[in-house]
Amino acid sequence: MQDINRIGLTWISFLSYAFTGALIVVTGMIMGNISDYFHLSVSKMSNTFTFLNAGILISIFINSWLIEIVSLKKQIIFGFLLTIVAITGIVFSNSVFLFSINMFILGLVSGITMSIGTFIITHLYSGSKRGSQLLLTDSFFSMSGMIFPVITAFLLEKKIIWYWTYVCIGIIYLLIFILTINLSFKKLKINIKDIKEVKEKWNFNVFLLSISALLYILGQLGFISWVPQYATEIMNVNIKKTGDLVGSFWMSYMLGMWFFSFIIKFFNLYRMFIFLTSLSTILMYFFIHSQNFLNQQYIIISLGFFSSAIYTIIITLASLQTKKPSPKLINLILLFGTIGTLLTFIVTGPIVEKQGLYITLVSSNILYGIVFLLSLLIYFNKKYKIFTIKL
């Protein structure tokens, strides 16, 4: 019975990442349609999605303390009710203001749920098993990235209005809700109680990993969010091919996570971090500077595969900086990663408007390069104790 409960809790973690992934990934696909719906330019409409990212950011920040006050089960049940309210609001929204509020609510729900999902994995599993399970969990983010662009492209091609995409996304949270009301969270309550009594010290690498998470997510989402517009306007491809391009990235991202979840235990995580960030930087460079759509498909598949484990490795390395990782430590990395998500359109929107799509993608490539440099610094700091500041 305990094993069944553990599997069920693990699936809540998987689906929590799938829900957040779906919300974030479909943005680039339907932004043009929503812009037309509300009669706004694409660059102005992109700022509206900052409300989704702001909701995720705030909820992850709050959840560092909320997780110790309100039970995980109650948080998820309340999140389900808010999801129904938000999606209903999106369907009947007749103004950008109402749309923004509902996106903010969805952001709050997804941030809290993803935070809970990460906490569940870090406390159900330990050691190399934790890294493998975190990779599998994160793979559901990319699974949504593979499935929902295809669903969205199908809906748009059939002239079905864009908000039905969000109705489909709501089904994921329905599954989370069904699992939650049938499972016990008792073991996790004990872990939270134990963690309250332990005072942990964070080293300087925690700070470096946090910055890496922010820049990596900003670079990744800045790239993949504008690839559909880039492919349509610069490469002159149709919406179906654009959906295939984004879907290919997230499909290979998911396959890469499954692959690395099995082999990660055989390699040094710090060296793996360096290898994957360097290769991803090079692949993104070749994608941006390729003029052939077929070549771009091959490159983006490779980029998705080799960049898939980076964020999870960052979370895993952070959790290994202390003997018993608290919710605050895990949430710190998620918080910085979410700041990267929040900044996606705040940073890239003006670049698109003033410098164009090409420069926007180049900016993402530069961010990947910085993360590579940070991976080197983190490795040498671990090996030679260059920085010994306790945070």
Side-chain angles (χ1 to χ4, degrees):
M1 193 70 185
Q2 265 191 337
D3 287 341
I4 294 172
N5 197 73
R6 190 184 199 191
I7 291 167
L9 290 171
T10 303
W11 270 98
I12 287 176
S13 300
F14 291 165
L15 292 171
S16 70
Y17 270 69
F19 182 72
T20 303
L23 287 172
I24 292 171
V25 168
V26 299
T27 300
M29 291 291 298
I30 60 177
M31 195 186 300
N33 299 80
I34 301 176
S35 301
D36 294 338
Y37 187 83
F38 289 111
H39 308 293
L40 289 173
S41 67
V42 173
S43 59
K44 285 184 179 177
M45 195 67 223
S46 68
N47 294 327
T48 305
F49 286 96
T50 302
F51 285 89
L52 171 69
N53 301 333
I56 297 172
L57 174 67
I58 291 168
S59 60
I60 288 176
F61 180 75
I62 292 172
N63 201 245
S64 297
W65 289 272
L66 190 65
I67 206 167
E68 296 175 1
I69 302 167
V70 182
S71 72
L72 303 181
K73 195 171 221 178
K74 285 178 182 176
Q75 286 187 52
I76 294 173
I77 292 169
F78 188 62
F80 177 65
L81 297 175
L82 285 177
T83 301
I84 294 172
V85 170
I87 292 175
T88 304
I90 287 171
V91 171
F92 293 102
S93 287
N94 53 15
S95 71
V96 177
F97 176 72
L98 290 174
F99 176 78
S100 301
I101 290 173
N102 289 307
M103 291 305 292
F104 179 74
I105 293 170
L106 282 179
L108 286 175
V109 173
S110 65
I112 286 175
T113 312
M114 188 172 69
S115 177
I116 291 170
T118 309
F119 176 76
I120 288 171
I121 292 297
T122 55
H123 289 275
L124 287 182
Y125 303 93
S126 60
S128 61
K129 187 73 173 174
R130 180 191 296 164
S132 296
Q133 287 296 326
L134 280 171
L135 273 170
L136 286 174
T137 303
D138 208 5
S139 75
F140 277 77
F141 186 104
S142 50
M143 189 182 291
S144 286
M146 178 188 72
I147 295 169
F148 278 91
V150 175
I151 293 172
T152 304
F154 173 80
L155 293 174
L156 296 178
E157 203 173 22
K158 297 296 180 183
K159 308 298 181 186
I160 298 170
I161 198 160
W162 55 268
Y163 55 62
W164 279 98
T165 300
Y166 290 103
V167 176
C168 294
I169 292 170
I171 294 170
I172 299 174
Y173 213 95
L174 174 62
L175 296 174
I176 294 172
F177 173 73
I178 292 169
L179 283 170
T180 299
I181 60 176
N182 288 289
L183 294 170
S184 169
F185 288 73
K186 191 175 179 181
K187 187 177 184 298
L188 296 169
K189 283 182 182 178
I190 296 167
N191 283 337
I192 292 169
K193 188 179 177 182
D194 290 342
I195 288 164
K196 279 183 179 180
E197 297 170 1
V198 177
K199 288 186 178 179
E200 62 181 355
K201 290 183 179 179
W202 299 348
N203 58 35
F204 194 70
N205 267 359
V206 171
F207 171 74
L208 295 176
L209 287 162
S210 301
I211 297 299
S212 298
L214 189 158
L215 297 180
Y216 170 71
I217 293 297
L218 178 58
Q220 183 197 70
L221 294 181
F223 173 77
I224 205 64
S225 294
W226 291 107
V227 158
Q229 292 291 122
Y230 180 83
T232 304
E233 295 180 20
I234 308 297
M235 303 301 294
N236 296 314
V237 300
N238 61 39
I239 187 68
K240 189 178 184 305
K241 284 187 176 180
T242 300
D244 291 342
L245 196 65
V246 176
S248 295
F249 174 84
W250 291 112
M251 179 189 69
S252 61
Y253 200 91
M254 177 188 68
L255 294 175
M257 284 182 167
W258 290 351
F259 173 76
F260 287 113
S261 69
F262 289 109
I263 72 158
I264 199 170
K265 63 186 80 171
F266 302 110
F267 293 90
N268 180 291
L269 281 178
Y270 291 92
R271 290 176 182 172
M272 180 74 80
F273 187 28
I274 293 168
F275 170 71
L276 294 178
T277 51
S278 61
L279 188 56
S280 297
T281 304
I282 294 166
L283 286 168
M284 188 180 286
Y285 175 86
F286 281 116
F287 176 90
I288 295 166
H289 294 89
S290 173
Q291 299 300 315
N292 184 283
F293 181 74
L294 185 61
N295 288 341
Q296 285 184 323
Q297 276 193 311
Y298 293 137
I299 294 167
I300 206 167
I301 287 169
S302 302
L303 176 61
F305 185 85
F306 287 106
S307 65
S308 61
I310 293 174
Y311 189 55
T312 309
I313 285 175
I314 291 171
I315 295 173
T316 307
L317 287 175
S319 73
L320 295 174
Q321 301 303 309
T322 181
K323 289 181 180 179
K324 287 188 177 182
S326 70
K328 287 185 177 66
L329 174 58
I330 301 303
N331 278 359
L332 179 71
I333 304 299
L334 290 176
L335 179 67
F336 273 77
T338 310
I339 291 171
T341 306
L342 174 69
L343 293 175
T344 300
F345 293 112
I346 294 174
V347 172
T348 61
I351 297 174
V352 170
E353 198 168 9
K354 294 178 182 178
Q355 302 294 328
L357 291 163
Y358 170 76
I359 297 299
T360 305
L361 298 190
V362 169
S363 301
S364 294
N365 198 193
I366 291 169
L367 291 174
Y368 266 47
I370 296 171
V371 175
F372 163 64
L373 295 176
L374 285 171
S375 71
L376 289 172
L377 185 56
I378 290 163
Y379 172 75
F380 287 114
N381 189 42
K382 170 69 176 176
K383 194 171 183 180
Y384 301 111
K385 306 291 183 186
I386 300 169
F387 302 104
T388 56
I389 302 170
K390 296 289 182 182
L391 303 176

